[in-house]
Amino acid sequence: MPDAAHHPVTTVQLNHTVVHARDRRLSAEFLTVILGLEIGAPFGPFLPVELGNGVTLDYYEQHDEPIQPQHYAFLVPDERFDDMIARLEAVGVTYYADPHHAEPGRINHLFSGRGAYFDDPDGHNMEIMTRPYVRP
C-alpha cells in the first residue's frame, strides 16, 4: 500500500452523497428551484441533483428515524447570487448571514464575496457563497 505522506493521491474526487429527506421530490425540487438546477431521472431509491462539478446529491427518503441535519455549501456564480436570494424571498424562506442563523435577512461578505445560509425542508443547513473559503 502506498504511503500517503510521500505519494499524495490527487485524483480522488467526491462523486455523490446521499441527502436524507422526508419527501425526496419536495426537497430536491426546493433546492433546484433556489439554485436554478434540474432534477435528474430517479436512480433506484434516489432522486439525483447534479451539480456543475459532476458531484450528485442523491435525495433518499427516510421515514424510520429522525433526519440528522447536515451542512451543504454551494459555490455559486456571483452573477446568479441575487437571483437565488430573490427566489428564497419569493418562497418565504428566511436566509441568514451566519451559519447559526442569528442574522436573518442579511448576507455575509466573507473572502470578498457574498454568502448566505438557509434551511431546506428537512432542516439541512444550506449555504450559498460566491467565493470559496481561503484555507491555511
Side-chain angles (χ1 to χ4, degrees):
M1 179 173 233
D3 180 357
H6 296 99
H7 303 286
V9 178
T10 58
T11 59
V12 176
Q13 298 179 5
L14 180 64
N15 177 266
H16 67 276
T17 191
V18 173
V19 180
H20 292 125
R22 289 276 173 243
D23 179 331
R24 69 181 189 170
R25 176 143 311 268
L26 174 72
S27 294
E29 283 179 355
F30 171 81
L31 186 68
T32 59
V33 164
I34 300 304
L35 298 184
L37 301 173
E38 294 181 8
I39 295 174
F43 181 71
F46 304 106
L47 195 56
V49 174
E50 187 169 336
L51 305 176
N53 57 348
V55 174
T56 303
L57 300 181
D58 290 330
Y59 279 85
Y60 177 78
E61 286 191 13
Q62 176 177 311
H63 299 285
D64 53 343
E65 56 188 69
I67 292 175
Q68 297 298 314
Q70 300 294 318
H71 174 64
Y72 299 93
F74 303 95
L75 183 60
V76 303
D78 188 66
E79 62 273 8
R80 292 180 54 197
F81 184 84
D82 290 333
D83 291 338
M84 293 175 189
I85 293 295
R87 288 192 288 268
L88 285 166
E89 291 172 344
V91 297
V93 172
T94 303
Y95 57 90
Y96 303 84
D98 65 301
H100 304 292
H101 296 190
E103 300 177 59
R106 297 182 56 204
I107 65 169
N108 65 57
H109 297 279
L110 297 174
F111 307 104
S112 300
R114 297 183 294 161
Y117 297 82
F118 57 95
D119 281 344
D120 85 340
D122 296 292
H124 296 300
N125 191 13
M126 304 300 199
E127 177 182 6
I128 53 175
M129 58 186 177
T130 62
R131 299 284 182 276
Y133 290 174
V134 177
R135 302 187 189 278

